Amino acid sequence: MRIRLTYLLIALSTLAFHAPASAQKTTKKGLSLTILHDTRLDTIQARSLRLLTGFTAGTSYGEVWIRDLNTFIKGSLKTHPKEEVKSMLLLFLKMQGDGGDIVDGMIDKKKMGTGAGYEYRYADLAPEWAAHKNTVETDQESSLLQAVRKYIDVTGDRGILEEEIGGKKVIRRLEEALLYILNDRWEEKYGLVKGATTVDWGDVQPETGWGVRINDKTKWAIDVYDNAMYVMAIHDFLAIKPAAYHTQKDWAATAAEIKKNVRKYLWKADVQKYIPHLYLDGSPFPASFNENALLYTGGSACAILAGFNTPKEIAAINQQMVAAAAKEKHATIGITVYPPYPAELFPNMHPYVYQNGGDWTWFGGRMIQALIENGMVKEAVAELQPIIERTLANKGFYEWYDVRTGAPKGSGDFRGEAGVLYDAIVMLREWAEKNK
């Protein structure tokens, strides 16, 4: 019951977080000292860095996934020479498709599996590697752009943008990745990015079968996660591009238009939340199912990071996440969706399993980062507590957790979780140093 009780207390305490400025000033120093003196945070960071000595998603994975690498690259730069990290980023560009698309995962050819599943891609520029692309998700290109920005921020190495791969400079290839989304995953009617129907940020379709590839059952939809990730990627591209580089589009205008359309079509001001999907060719779910009653947490966190919401809206979104977590015995704000989809409507993933209501620190940690970025440090500290306690109790960085039993699931050495926690703690410590 410990995590649930913690979240009940957090749900109550969030109501008192909006104290007058004079009261907030008196508590900043105390909060800063609490953060700086919390030795558990040292333990988490030390364990994170011990795990971030590899690039695969976890020790049970053979692949390097770009959506995962993007979330632990800063920690990786503490444990690897920058040239090794840069080489891994460039490898994704060596596997880039002719249309600009970026693969999902890459694996050493000697470790490839056989049989049904992924369709592999090969490239003369990287003869020792095989790659595959999950086609139901629309975040690989955005993830690579974000990862390159983080690499440059940490290392100061802007020379990576001038390197040539197959006769094209890296900066050109990065823009082509952005253009791929506009050419292949753009819905003109709404002016937004589209993808297949999945759970929030997830990468599996509802129907049974190989759920990570577009097929004749695919229902195209628009969600906030894909659009938030794309806008963050555009912002990162504009931040790193050389002054002399002439872009092929007015990317600032594109990002602004997406934000406007997200607010118009996906954000519901009356309930202060994002709808799960805007369907383009019909929903995979019956009309009797009220999908809009579900809370998507990961996409909402990314929307905040992309700058889509006001401070008052961010507080409302956060309170909904805390309230949802309080309803399950072992949940944190990392619970993917609440309530989960019924089994009969999502046969590929039953309720409370994996992305359908499993609890992922991989995204809960990003919400902690979003809170810190927006000055909600007291909330961030409070909501981080059950995540830290769980991580220490299980002595590992697990992929996801069962909110009914508290049992850790999936890879026991999931680098995505280690990476987001490492970054969140860095952000907390930086805030604390400035305010102590």
Side-chain angles (χ1 to χ4, degrees), residues 89-106:
L89 292 173
L90 296 182
L91 193 54
F92 279 94
L93 291 173
K94 291 176 181 178
M95 287 286 185
Q96 187 172 22
D98 293 338
D101 69 286
I102 301 299
V103 297
D104 208 30
M106 300 184 303

Side-chain angles (χ1 to χ4, degrees), residues 292-307:
N292 286 352
L294 275 55
L295 176 68
Y296 273 15
T297 61
S300 299
C302 289
I304 295 170
L305 290 168

